[in-house]
Amino acid sequence: MCGIFGVTNNSDASRLCYLGLFALQHRGQESAGIVSLNEGALQVEKGRGLVSEVFSEKNFSALQGKQAIGHVRYSTAGGALDANIQPLYARVAGETIALAHNGNIVNADSLRQTLEQSGAIFQGTADTEILLHLLARSRKNQFVDRLVDALIPLEGAVTLVVLTKTEMHAYVDPCGYRPLVIGKLRGEGEEFSWIFASETSALDLVGADFVRDVNPGELVSVDLVSQRLRSTALPMQSHQSNTGEESRCVFEHIYFARPDSTLWGQNASLVRQELGQELARCHPAPADLVIAIPDSGTPLAMGYSQASGIPFATGLIRNHYVGRTFIEPTQTVRNFRVRLKLNPVKEIVRGKRLVVVDDSIVRGTTSRKIIELLREAGAAQVHMRIGSPPVKFPCFYGIDTPKRKELIAQKMSLVEMCDALHADSLGFLPQEALVRVVEKHGFNGTRNQGKKGFCMSCFDGTYQDSGAQILGNPEGVPT
Ligand code: SF4
């Protein structure tokens, strides 16, 4: 998963980009980068680490200009090589361009193979580099037409911002897996800047007004001189979706997006509360307290408490200052990895029958350790309630999930999972209830009539495109 940001027509473009990336830091902590456009030339600063680690005051003297794009990365394709740190930039048909990508191109392996066989040389291993080669191979004269040519063969999740000498482009694939919003930042008099961001929380931080989502299959282009914005609709290609349905990632709502972000017309925190309410109705529990596994479980637990009437309490505390590396103790300290992040409040949980609410269970190892910690702290009972259906299949659209055989829900029945986690009871939100909540408020006008709105592939294994079907099939044959 990654976060992308773009800003036009602002003398503080790179600093605004930096702020935007701060707001999107939860979408990727592995690397960060900004490319600005100054007098027709691209300036690049990027590196490994958090936004606060990569950028300091001295970087901004090398990031002049009124247009900039930025990226925070968590690699799910291609690994953590320096050459994969985005934004990527290249000279394509005489024009220097930079691009930042969120998502995974699921037919990247076959496209890369074809390109390499015809002489293409890749610098890194990220799927995004394929797009640069496809751009270079288009025979069209106008850049925007080259971009359309390059986008059409891609399958999977492709959300982009692209910066050229004359335009900034923003694109969301026809399935609409990842969010991208357009904002407007007012300046002096008639002046204004366009902002593109993965989430509205980034618009809020820079003080921009939300204008609208970039629609699935839409390429939005801004002329950097006039600031005129135009929209091009790309057709859904048959290979991009077998069903022709839109497929927004439902996990953006359940867990990934910041709770203060509005996704496709709905606030993520309110959706999570409603999912928690549904969870309480579907899976009641005899309990004294509802507690959350923070942070993403908190709105779900609040919703569970509201619908069940069981009081909500802060029974687990998250340490927000755990770095990405730490020294392991030489002696065995039980559960230290989980304890490093989460610690029970003994005085709250002791002797209590708890409903413990989390967003999902993947391998089950962390959930089991949390239950163990709560029992050690004196909890009388632990009833696990999960705000999503069981995750039985891997994601190939930019979310880091393990292989199918490592997913606990793939290997075990509900009863077996409950036993393995040492829980007193276990309940998952049914898929119908999830659909009911996320589709309730519509899609802020972005949904094509009569089409399904959300991806549920990690629950039901029905991948939209042949590339993901091949990846998801152990025999390597489309299902
Ligand atoms: S498979 Fe799951 S995590 Fe991946 S895009 Fe679909 S809903 Fe999101």
Side-chain angles (χ1 to χ4, degrees), residues 360-439:
S360 55
I361 295 184
V362 181
R363 290 186 179 87
T365 39
T366 306
S367 307
R368 190 169 53 77
K369 284 182 178 147
I370 291 169
I371 293 170
E372 212 174 307
L373 284 182
L374 290 165
R375 292 201 190 278
E376 282 170 17
Q381 292 179 9
V382 180
H383 301 275
M384 278 303 283
R385 295 293 180 268
I386 307 301
S388 62
V391 173
K392 293 185 177 172
F393 299 90
C395 173
F396 302 111
Y397 302 113
I399 303 303
D400 190 26
T401 47
K403 294 197 173 77
R404 191 195 286 206
K405 62 176 192 268
E406 293 166 35
L407 298 166
I408 188 170
Q410 181 65 239
K411 298 185 287 194
M412 295 183 190
S413 67
L414 187 71
V415 174
E416 288 168 338
M417 273 192 277
C418 186
D419 276 356
L421 299 177
H422 302 144
D424 290 284
S425 70
L426 173 65
F428 289 88
L429 185 72
Q431 194 166 324
E432 314 76 66
L434 171 62
V435 172
R436 205 161 46 237
V437 172
V438 292
E439 299 213 340

Side-chain angles (χ1 to χ4, degrees), residues 169-222:
H169 306 273
Y171 171 74
V172 174
D173 61 81
C175 290
Y177 286 102
R178 304 274 152 235
L180 186 64
V181 292
I182 309 173
K184 201 173 201 178
L185 180 63
R186 312 264 163 205
E188 297 276 305
E190 300 292 298
E191 285 283 299
F192 68 87
S193 305
W194 291 111
I195 309 281
F196 298 105
S198 292
E199 293 183 30
T200 58
S201 54
L203 301 183
D204 295 341
L205 183 60
V206 301
D209 297 325
F210 170 78
V211 176
R212 66 175 177 88
D213 292 283
V214 178
N215 295 330
E218 184 184 19
L219 176 65
V220 173
S221 306
V222 178

Side-chain angles (χ1 to χ4, degrees), residues 177-178 247-252 256 393-399 401 454-459 463:
Y177 286 102
R178 304 274 152 235
S247 200
R248 296 161 184 82
C249 173
V250 78
F251 258 113
E252 292 277 357
F256 300 128
F393 299 90
C395 173
F396 302 111
Y397 302 113
I399 303 303
T401 47
F454 282 93
C455 175
M456 303 273 167
S457 303
C458 47
F459 311 129
Y463 298 106

